[in-house]
Amino acid sequence: MILNEMKEGQTGRIVRLLTEGARNRRLCEMGFLPGTVFIVTHRAPLGSPMAISVRGYEVIVGADDAGKVEVEIV
Amino acid sequence: MKAFHGCCDSEKVIGSVSPKYQEKKADSIHVMLAGNPNCGKSTLFNRLCNLNVRTGNYPGVTVSRHVGSYGDRIQIIDLPGIYSLNSASTDELVASTELLDNDAELIVNVIDATSLERSLYLTLELKMLGAPMVVLLNMWDEVKKRNISIDLEKLSKMLDADIIPISAASGEGLNAFEDYLRNVKWGVVEPVYLGSDRIVRELSAVADVTPNLYKSHALFYAKSAVLGDSCPEALTKDEKWLAAVETAKNNIASGFDTIYQAMASDRYDYVDRIISECVAGGAQAAEGRKKSGLSAKIDAVVLNRYMAFPIFILIMCAVYYISVSWLGSIATDWANDTLFGEEIIPAVTGTMTSLGASEWLTSLVSDGVVGGVGAVLGFVPQMIILFFLLSVLEECGYMTRAAFILDRIFNSFGLSGRAFIPYLIGSGCGVPALMTARTLGSESERRVTLFTTTMIPCSAKLPVIITMAGAVFNDFLVFDIFGTEFRMFAPVMYLSAVFIVILSAIILSKFSQFKSSASSLMLELPDYHRPMLRVVVLSIWQRVKGYIFKAGRIIFPCVTILWLVSHIGYVAEDGRFEMLDDSDTDNSLVADLVRPVSGVFAPLGFDDYRASVAVITGLVAKEAIVSTMAVFVGVDEPEEPEDDASDEELAESEEQTNAFYTAIKNRMFHVDELGIKGVLAAFAFVIFNLFTIPCVAAVGVLRKEIGSSRLFWIAIAYQLGLSYGIAMVVYQFGLVFAGVAPFSLWTGISIAFLLVIAYILFIKKAPATEQSISFEFVKD
C-alpha cells in the first residue's frame, strides 16, 4: 500500500521508501524509516497534502512524497 | 570580565540593534544558537540580548543570522532553524555554513523538549562538530504541564553535554543558563559520533587517513563525504582519503536501500535508545500523539474537510475587513480629518502666521511638510490595526494550517502551500516577505514568489487605495445591503491583487527559468499558542516605528524638495527663478521637468504631470504617492456652512469638507472636466501603482534575494510591463465600453496585449519538468 492511499485517522507502518537522492535523504532525516509507526492525522480538504504524526511531532507531507512511500496498515 | 546581567534586570543588558548588528567581531566569544525550526531560538535570543528580532509560531521565521551582544565579550548568533547540517533551502544553508565555519566557541542547541525524539537527531549531528555544546530543553513548562518526565542526568550522560531546562517564552530557567555562560570552559572538545560501533568504525577509518590539515574536522568530513555532501577541495583530491570514503560508504550502505537510510536509521536508533532510557514510559509513550490535547481539538475543526475552507476565508475576510474597511477606516478618518485636518494643520498655520513668517514659508511648512508628512502619518492608527491582526496570525500557529489547506490550490500554479506565508506577510511589508521566500523548497518557486509577492498591496499601498477610494471612487462600487453601505473599492483592489498574482504565477510557469517541480511540502505543524501580548506589541511597535521613521527620513525630505520645485518657477524672459502661488504649480520647475515625460502615461489616461510625479515618488516609497498629492493639491480650508443653510445644503457642504479629496479628484484626474474618462484614468493610476515595481527598499532586497542580475532585470521589466499593460487595458476598454471614445490605435494595442497573455496562458506549452533543484546561495 502507498501512503497516499491511507485515510484520515489510520495508523500505519513504513515498509519502504521508493524515492532516491535528495528526496530520499530528506524523508530519512525527517524520520520516515522502514519500521516507523505513524498516524495520518489529517488530509487536506482537496485530498492532498496529509498531516502525519510521527516520532512525536506532526508534519505535513506533500502528495509527491506521500506517493513514494510504501506502507502497511497497523 | 564584566558581570553579566540577566533578563530580569533587562535595562542593564546591552543590546545593539544597529543596522550593522549582523557583523561579527573577531575578538569576541561566539555563542551560536542552533536548533530545529520553530524551537524558540529567536525568542531566547531576544531575551538574552534584549533585542527584538522577528518571531512567530511557524517554521522558518528567521531567514538570516542575527548577531547580538551579551555583555562585553560574548556575541550571540541566532541562526535559522535546521533539521540537519545538509540543507535544501537557502535559509538552512545560512545556518549550516555558519556552523561549519566553526568559529563558534560554544554551540547552544535549543530543543523543543515536547518533541525530544525529533530534535535529538540534530543534536547528534552537532556533536560531530567538536565545539563545546550545551543543550537547552526549551518549553519546559509545557513538559511539566503534560506530565512528561525526563531524566536530565541520564540524558546529559548519554549526550555527553550539559543540559539546562528553560522556557524561553516565560523566561523560566534563564538564570541557570546565564550562570552557565559565566562559568563555561571555553575551548575545543573531541568530536564524537554517537551511534553504533559499526558506523563509528567506518567513519574512524576515513578520519584516520585524513591529512593533518583537516584533522580537527576529520569525523565531520568523513560523515559528509559518505553522504555525498561537499567537502574541502583539497580533500577531494586526496586519493587515499577518497578510497577510504568509498569503502566506508559501501560498508555502511550494505543491507540498506540507500546510504541516507543507513545513516539516518543508525542515528534514530540511538535517539530511540535515549528516549527509552531517559523519558518515563519510554518509546511507547513517545510514539503516540504527543500533540497537546487543545491543539488537536482545534485542528479537528480548523482542518476539517468541510470546515477548513470556510474558516480560512472567514479569517482572511475578517483580517482585511477589520483593518482595511471597518475599524481601519474609522481610525484613518479620525487621524486625517480630525487630528490633522482640524487640529494640527490649522494650528501650525496659525502659529506660523502669528510669528510673522512669510506667506510662502507658512505654506511650505503647513501644506508641504505637515500636509505631506501628515498625509502619511494619518495612516498610523490603521497600520497598527493591520499589524496587530497579522502578528496575531503569525503568533498563533495558523500560518502552517493555511499552507496545509492551500497546498493543492497553489500546486496548480506551480507553488507549494508554503508560499502563502510570504504573500500574507507581504500584505504588511514587502521586505520581510521577499526574505521569507528563502524558506521555499525549490528555486523556481522562490523566483515566482520573488517576482510576485510585492504585487500584494502592502501597508504603504493601503494609504493609496484608501485615499483614492475616498477621492474618486466614493460613488462607485458602493452597494447598499440591508440599509448598510458597503464600499467595495478596497476589497476589489485586494482581490485583483490575488488574481494578478495567480495570473503571474501561471504566466511565469510557462518559462523554463521558473518551471521545475513544485517542491513537496514538508512542514512541521506547530502547536497553537496563545499570542503573547508582549511579543505582539513589540512586533507592532517595530513595524510602525519603521513606518514613522520612514516618514521622517524619506517622506520629509521628499515633500520638502517637492514643495520647493513645485512652487518655484523659471521665468524665461527674465532668466530668473521666482516663487509661485499655490495654484500656479503648472509653471513650476517640476512641471517643466516632468511634463515632457508624462506622455508615457497618456495611454493609461493619467498624463497630468502631477500624477506622473506621484508615480515617480512612489518608487521611493509607496506612501509618498499620498504625500505628493497633498503637496500638489494643497489643503484648502473647507467652506463654512452658512447659518441658515437648509439640510440639503448642509449635506452638500459635508461632501465638500474633504477638500483634499476633491482636489485630487479634480486637479489631478480632472474628473470635473472629463467625467467618466477621469474616473477611468484614476482607476488605471491605482492599478499601475499597486502592481508595478515596489519601493526602493523592496527592490534592493529583491536584487539580493534573486541572485542573478539578469533575472533581477527581467523581474523589473515584468512588473513594469504587466502593470502598464493591465492599467492600459482597463483604461482603453473602459473608454470604449463607456462610449466616451472611439476605437483607437491604443484599443488595438490593448487587444494585442490581451492576446499575448491569452497565448501564454492557454496555448504556450510549459517546458519539460526539471527534477534537479539547484540553489544560488546569496551571501549576506
Side-chain angles (χ1 to χ4, degrees):
Chain A
M1 190 177 194
I2 300 297
L3 176 56
N4 237 346
E5 300 162 3
M6 286 181 70
K7 292 194 181 66
E8 202 168 294
Q10 281 182 323
T11 303
R13 183 184 289 121
I14 292 168
V15 176
R16 208 152 60 99
L17 302 182
L18 307 172
T19 46
E20 277 178 5
R23 311 252 317 251
N24 178 279
R25 178 175 187 172
R26 198 169 37 153
L27 280 171
C28 289
E29 287 182 339
M30 299 300 283
F32 287 76
L33 294 163
T36 308
V37 176
F38 61 89
I39 305 168
V40 178
T41 46
H42 298 281
R43 291 200 71 136
L46 299 174
S48 80
M50 55 211 309
I52 287 173
S53 171
V54 62
R55 291 186 190 275
Y57 75 113
E58 197 171 12
V59 65
I60 304 172
V61 178
D64 36 0
D65 278 329
K68 289 285 173 63
V69 180
E70 202 180 308
V71 294
E72 59 186 7
I73 305 274
V74 177
Chain B
M1 197 211 291
K2 212 187 148 205
F4 294 111
H5 304 288
C7 70
C8 310
D9 46 350
S10 58
E11 66 268 42
K12 288 187 199 150
V13 176
I14 309 135
S16 65
V17 73
S18 70
K20 293 231 162 196
Y21 72 110
Q22 302 294 330
E23 238 150 70
K24 285 203 303 188
K25 286 192 227 122
D27 55 346
S28 300
I29 290 169
H30 299 128
V31 172
M32 291 193 187
L33 303 183
N36 289 166
N38 206 33
C39 71
K41 292 177 300 297
S42 296
T43 309
L44 176 71
F45 175 78
N46 284 344
R47 278 196 177 267
L48 288 173
C49 302
N50 201 24
L51 293 178
N52 184 23
V53 300
R54 210 182 169 86
T55 57
N57 187 17
Y58 55 96
V61 187
T62 309
V63 291
S64 65
R65 63 150 205 236
H66 298 288
V67 182
S69 47
Y70 178 82
D72 287 342
R73 282 184 60 215
I74 298 183
Q75 282 198 310
I76 296 184
I77 297 145
D78 180 29
L79 299 174
I82 46 173
Y83 287 115
S84 76
L85 285 172
N86 134 71
S87 293
S89 67
T90 322
D91 59 321
E92 294 177 310
L93 211 49
V94 172
S96 302
T97 316
E98 194 72 18
L99 283 165
L100 290 175
D101 274 355
N102 203 44
D103 43 4
E105 274 84 0
L106 177 70
I107 294 176
V108 177
N109 179 207
V110 185
I111 278 182
D112 175 354
T114 61
S115 66
L116 210 52
E117 193 176 355
R118 162 92 225 79
S119 318
L120 288 175
Y121 185 85
L122 176 69
T123 311
L124 297 188
E125 185 144 23
L126 293 173
K127 288 295 293 176
M128 280 186 256
L129 286 173
M133 187 163 89
V134 55
V135 177
L136 299 188
L137 291 184
N138 194 14
M139 322 216 183
W140 192 249
D141 47 351
E142 191 61 28
V143 169
K144 282 190 291 191
K145 210 189 289 172
R146 292 191 209 171
N147 285 322
I148 306 171
S149 132
I150 301 174
D151 185 339
L152 295 179
E153 244 168 72
K154 212 171 207 174
L155 184 61
S156 168
K157 204 174 280 170
M158 288 190 85
L159 288 174
D160 187 22
D162 296 305
I163 311 263
I164 303 170
I166 62 159
S167 298
S170 69
E172 185 192 330
L174 275 185
N175 285 335
F177 175 55
E178 290 182 79
D179 279 343
Y180 179 88
L181 275 185
R182 232 166 289 166
N183 304 317
V184 67
K185 269 200 313 217
W186 308 103
V188 201
V189 297
E190 192 65 26
V192 283
Y193 178 86
L194 297 172
S196 70
D197 294 342
R198 190 175 79 92
I199 308 249
V200 172
R201 217 169 31 239
E202 296 299 338
L203 292 180
S204 307
V206 178
D208 286 344
V209 298
T210 306
N212 276 332
L213 183 59
Y214 300 102
K215 250 328 187 237
S216 60
H217 285 106
L219 186 68
F220 190 84
Y221 288 138
K223 180 226 71 166
S224 303
V226 164
L227 285 172
D229 284 340
S230 58
C231 283
E233 214 181 307
L235 266 183
T236 57
K237 286 184 182 134
D238 189 312
E239 304 265 331
K240 217 165 118 199
W241 183 78
L242 279 180
V245 167
E246 206 47 44
T247 316
K249 199 171 171 176
N250 290 332
N251 289 346
I252 293 172
S254 77
F256 290 90
D257 291 347
T258 60
I259 180 79
Y260 310 121
Q261 196 179 311
M263 292 293 280
S265 303
D266 193 66
R267 225 187 285 171
Y268 273 115
D269 283 348
Y270 192 78
V271 170
D272 287 344
R273 242 180 71 202
I274 296 176
I275 299 288
S276 61
E277 290 192 28
C278 304
V279 181
Q284 277 70 37
E287 202 169 70
R289 54 182 73 213
K290 271 269 242 14
K291 227 166 93 174
S292 88
L294 185 64
S295 284
K297 274 182 207 140
I298 298 176
D299 273 345
V301 179
V302 165
L303 299 182
N304 175 287
R305 179 169 309 199
Y306 304 103
M307 305 279 280
F309 278 112
I311 290 176
F312 171 76
I313 292 167
L314 203 70
I315 291 177
M316 287 300 117
C317 287
V319 166
Y320 293 106
Y321 180 74
I322 292 173
S323 61
V324 176
S325 300
W326 174 58
L327 209 54
S329 73
I330 294 174
T332 296
D333 286 348
W334 173 80
N336 274 341
D337 300 346
T338 315
L339 191 64
F340 279 97
E342 288 172 20
E343 305 289 336
I344 297 181
I345 294 181
V348 169
T349 315
T351 317
M352 296 285 295
T353 318
S354 68
L355 287 175
S358 65
E359 197 178 313
W360 74 265
L361 190 63
T362 309
S363 165
L364 165 63
V365 174
S366 65
D367 291 348
V369 176
V370 180
V373 175
V376 168
L377 289 184
F379 286 92
V380 166
Q382 183 159 22
M383 229 122 276
I384 292 174
I385 296 168
L386 174 67
F387 285 135
F388 170 78
L389 295 170
L390 287 181
S391 78
V392 167
L393 266 189
E394 283 184 49
E395 283 292 321
C396 72
Y398 187 71
M399 298 289 254
T400 41
R401 271 76 185 183
F404 176 69
I405 58 176
L406 292 175
D407 187 57
R408 187 60 186 276
I409 300 177
F410 275 48
N411 282 171
S412 55
F413 23 90
L415 299 173
S416 75
R418 197 169 184 171
F420 170 75
I421 296 175
Y423 287 113
L424 187 90
I425 293 174
S427 73
C429 177
V431 171
L434 288 167
M435 294 183 69
T436 304
R438 281 189 188 189
T439 59
L440 299 176
S442 81
E443 188 62 28
S444 61
E445 198 181 347
R446 283 194 55 201
R447 288 176 182 169
V448 173
T449 315
L450 289 172
F451 267 57
T452 55
T453 3
T454 52
M455 293 179 183
I456 295 288
C458 66
S459 63
K461 287 175 183 169
L462 184 60
V464 181
I465 297 177
I466 303 285
T467 307
M468 291 298 287
V472 185
F473 303 101
N474 242 337
D475 313 328
F476 298 86
L477 296 167
V478 175
F479 299 98
D480 200 323
I481 302 171
F482 305 122
T484 321
E485 261 192 1
F486 283 90
R487 295 177 189 282
M488 296 304 289
F489 183 73
V492 165
M493 291 327 291
Y494 274 82
L495 286 177
S496 325
V498 172
F499 171 76
I500 286 177
V501 165
I502 294 173
L503 183 80
S504 290
I506 300 174
I507 290 175
L508 293 173
S509 71
K510 303 285 175 122
F511 296 89
S512 58
Q513 286 93 334
F514 304 96
K515 181 71 198 178
S516 74
S517 55
S519 73
S520 183
L521 198 60
M522 259 283 184
L523 197 58
E524 203 173 330
L525 275 181
D527 275 347
Y528 289 98
H529 285 307
R530 187 197 302 272
M532 282 186 299
L533 190 66
R534 181 176 154 273
V535 176
V536 171
V537 169
L538 273 175
S539 105
I540 295 172
W541 165 236
Q542 190 114 75
R543 298 176 202 187
V544 170
K545 192 176 70 179
Y547 184 82
I548 295 174
F549 279 6
K550 202 161 66 167
R553 276 201 306 259
I554 298 172
I555 309 292
F556 172 69
C558 216
V559 291
T560 311
I561 295 169
L562 196 62
W563 190 91
L564 288 172
V565 293
S566 63
H567 285 71
I568 295 173
Y570 180 69
V571 187
E573 51 263 38
D574 300 1
R576 64 188 183 86
F577 295 95
E578 64 171 30
M579 293 303 299
L580 303 169
D581 277 347
D582 258 3
S583 53
D584 203 19
T585 51
D586 287 358
N587 298 316
S588 68
L589 282 179
V590 71
D592 292 341
L593 285 173
V594 176
R595 204 176 278 133
V597 293
S598 59
V600 175
F601 298 112
L604 316 189
F606 52 94
D607 54 349
D608 188 291
Y609 69 93
R610 299 178 190 90
S612 308
V613 174
V615 169
I616 295 166
T617 52
L619 299 180
V620 180
K622 291 295 164 194
E623 63 268 39
I625 293 173
V626 180
S627 300
T628 306
M629 292 170 168
V631 170
F632 270 124
V633 301
V635 183
D636 304 327
E637 288 295 311
E639 284 169 36
E640 289 294 324
E642 284 171 32
D643 286 346
D644 54 20
S646 67
D647 282 356
E648 205 171 291
E649 278 173 326
L650 261 179
E652 205 167 84
S653 129
E654 190 79 3
E655 271 180 19
Q656 291 279 317
T657 313
N658 213 324
F660 178 45
Y661 283 172
T662 323
I664 293 173
K665 186 175 180 175
N666 294 336
R667 280 203 227 153
M668 227 163 172
F669 298 102
H670 308 287
V671 177
D672 51 350
E673 294 161 35
L674 299 171
I676 186 75
K677 224 171 152 177
V679 175
L680 283 170
F683 194 44
F685 176 82
V686 178
I687 290 179
F688 179 77
N689 277 304
L690 288 192
F691 305 129
T692 197
I693 44 180
C695 64
V696 264
V699 168
V701 175
L702 174 67
R703 171 71 190 85
K704 207 170 102 187
E705 292 293 318
I706 211 162
S708 90
S709 84
R710 192 174 141 265
L711 266 176
F712 168 71
W713 289 111
I714 293 176
I716 295 294
Y718 176 80
Q719 291 171 344
L720 270 177
L722 187 78
S723 54
Y724 192 93
I726 292 176
M728 176 177 70
V729 167
V730 167
Y731 179 67
Q732 297 295 342
F733 280 28
L735 287 183
V736 173
F737 284 123
V740 284
F743 193 93
S744 70
L745 172 65
W746 288 107
T747 327
I749 294 177
S750 300
I751 292 174
F753 175 80
L754 281 186
L755 286 177
V756 171
I757 300 269
Y759 167 79
I760 297 173
L761 285 182
F762 303 113
I763 300 176
K764 186 173 161 62
K765 291 232 168 23
T769 304
E770 289 168 36
Q771 282 295 334
S772 70
I773 302 169
S774 70
F775 285 96
E776 296 166 48
F777 177 42
V778 203
K779 226 175 167 144
D780 296 87

